[in-house]
């Protein structure tokens, strides 16, 4: 009777434990799309509501077995490796050439909720990065007098940067001194926001804009 019981367990896809391990059922073989995976019942049962957990517990799931007794699962073995590793250590590890969409499809088939959420979050994060609008450069040409150059430089903050200073050659007399006039070219990057390009301007930015109206 003991021999017959052991044979029946082997046909159910379970391998014998090492001597002294005490009991049967620790190891389970899965034949996924022609590739055999060996893992433990504890690993497969980590997500109680998953297909794999119900399969190894025999909960009303009909699954054929191959000649070695391994459960036959008609799914792509390429994506099963990451599924099984996630159940082992709780982390999603993918080769650089593996499509996340394929792993998501298998995770949904096996009904592994935590893994489904992780993959969807990663895919949404990548989509957001791809669809981000690159910053736009805004340029302003400001006209200033020689004596205003120092003040002009001190007000260039909030992302504004000095690009070029051009002496326009004209001059005028202020008191007893001759004053030259310059064109100051400044630029700023405007980054995208949920409401379009940022239009917020600070007091110093407004000052630069006011100087630009003097042209």
């Amino acid at each position: 009777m003991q021999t017959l019981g052991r044979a029946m367990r082997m046909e159910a896809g379970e391998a014998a434990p090492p001597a002294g391990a005490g009991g049967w059922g620790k190891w389970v073989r899965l034949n996924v799309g022609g590739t055999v995976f060996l893992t433990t019942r504890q690993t497969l049962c980590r997500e109680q509501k998953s297909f794999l957990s119900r399969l190894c517990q025999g909960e009303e799931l009909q699954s054929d077995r191959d000649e070695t007794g391994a459960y036959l699962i008609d799914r792509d073995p390429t994506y099963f490796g990451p599924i099984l590793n996630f159940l082992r250590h709780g982390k999603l590890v993918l080769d650089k050439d593996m499509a996340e969409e394929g792993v998501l499809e298998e995770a949904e088939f096996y009904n592994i909720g935590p893994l489904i959420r992780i993959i969807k979050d990663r895919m949404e994060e990548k989509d957001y990065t791809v669809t981000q609008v690159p910053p736009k450069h805004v340029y302003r040409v400001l006209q200033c007098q020689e004596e205003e150059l120092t003040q002009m430089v001190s007000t260039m903050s909030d992302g504004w940067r000095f690009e070029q200073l051009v002496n326009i050659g004209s001059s005028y007399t202020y008191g007893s001194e001759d004053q030259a006039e310059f064109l100051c070219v400044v630029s700023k990057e405007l980054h995208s926001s949920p409401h379009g390009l940022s239009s917020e301007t600070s007091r110093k930015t407004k000052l630069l804009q006011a100087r630009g109206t003097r042209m």
Side-chain angles (χ1 to χ4, degrees):
M1 291 294 293
Q2 291 181 350
T3 302
L4 178 60
R6 291 184 180 182
M8 292 177 63
R9 292 188 179 93
M10 289 294 291
E11 290 178 358
E14 300 172 4
W24 293 80
K26 178 179 180 181
W27 293 97
V28 179
R29 289 195 303 274
L30 304 172
N31 186 332
V32 182
T35 301
V36 176
F37 295 85
L38 181 64
T39 186
T40 65
R41 183 178 299 273
Q42 180 181 5
T43 295
L44 296 180
C45 293
R46 188 144 296 163
E47 291 298 325
Q48 295 296 323
K49 296 181 179 180
S50 71
F51 169 87
L52 296 172
S53 176
R54 296 172 60 195
L55 179 67
C56 68
Q57 293 180 20
E59 293 186 7
E60 300 179 0
L61 293 179
Q62 298 297 325
S63 178
D64 294 331
R65 299 176 178 85
D66 64 14
E67 64 278 3
T68 69
Y71 291 106
L72 286 169
I73 303 176
D74 187 20
R75 301 298 293 185
D76 191 339
T78 303
Y79 301 110
F80 187 73
I83 299 286
L84 188 57
N85 284 332
F86 178 80
L87 293 175
R88 285 167 172 157
H89 49 60
K91 297 180 181 179
L92 175 60
V93 181
L94 301 178
D95 293 336
K96 62 178 181 179
D97 296 328
M98 182 169 291
E100 291 178 335
E101 292 84 352
V103 183
L104 176 61
E105 184 72 22
E106 297 306 295
E108 290 176 340
F109 172 81
Y110 294 112
N111 192 31
I112 304 176
L115 180 56
I116 294 173
R117 289 190 292 272
I118 290 175
I119 298 175
K120 286 185 174 180
D121 287 345
R122 285 178 53 160
M123 292 174 64
E124 289 176 0
E125 183 177 347
K126 285 185 177 180
D127 289 341
Y128 174 77
T129 302
V130 171
T131 56
Q132 272 190 315
V133 179
K136 291 188 176 181
H137 287 80
V138 176
Y139 293 88
R140 293 191 179 276
V141 181
L142 311 176
Q143 186 174 353
C144 63
Q145 301 165 7
E146 184 178 358
E147 65 178 6
E148 295 176 322
L149 283 175
T150 301
Q151 184 180 4
M152 175 73 71
V153 173
S154 66
T155 58
M156 284 199 309
S157 60
D158 302 309
W160 289 98
R161 55 182 295 180
F162 174 80
E163 296 289 348
Q164 188 176 6
L165 183 67
V166 180
N167 188 335
I168 60 177
S170 63
S171 62
Y172 66 96
T173 301
Y174 179 78
S176 60
E177 298 181 356
D178 291 336
Q179 297 286 333
E181 288 191 312
F182 297 87
L183 294 180
C184 183
V185 182
V186 296
S187 69
K188 181 179 182 179
E189 285 188 353
L190 293 182
H191 295 271
S192 61
S193 67
H195 305 289
L197 290 177
S198 175
S199 59
E200 181 181 357
T201 55
S202 66
R203 180 183 63 82
K204 291 185 177 181
T205 304
K206 291 179 180 179
L207 178 57
L208 282 174
Q209 292 175 338
R211 292 184 181 278
T213 61
R214 294 177 50 187
M215 292 185 56

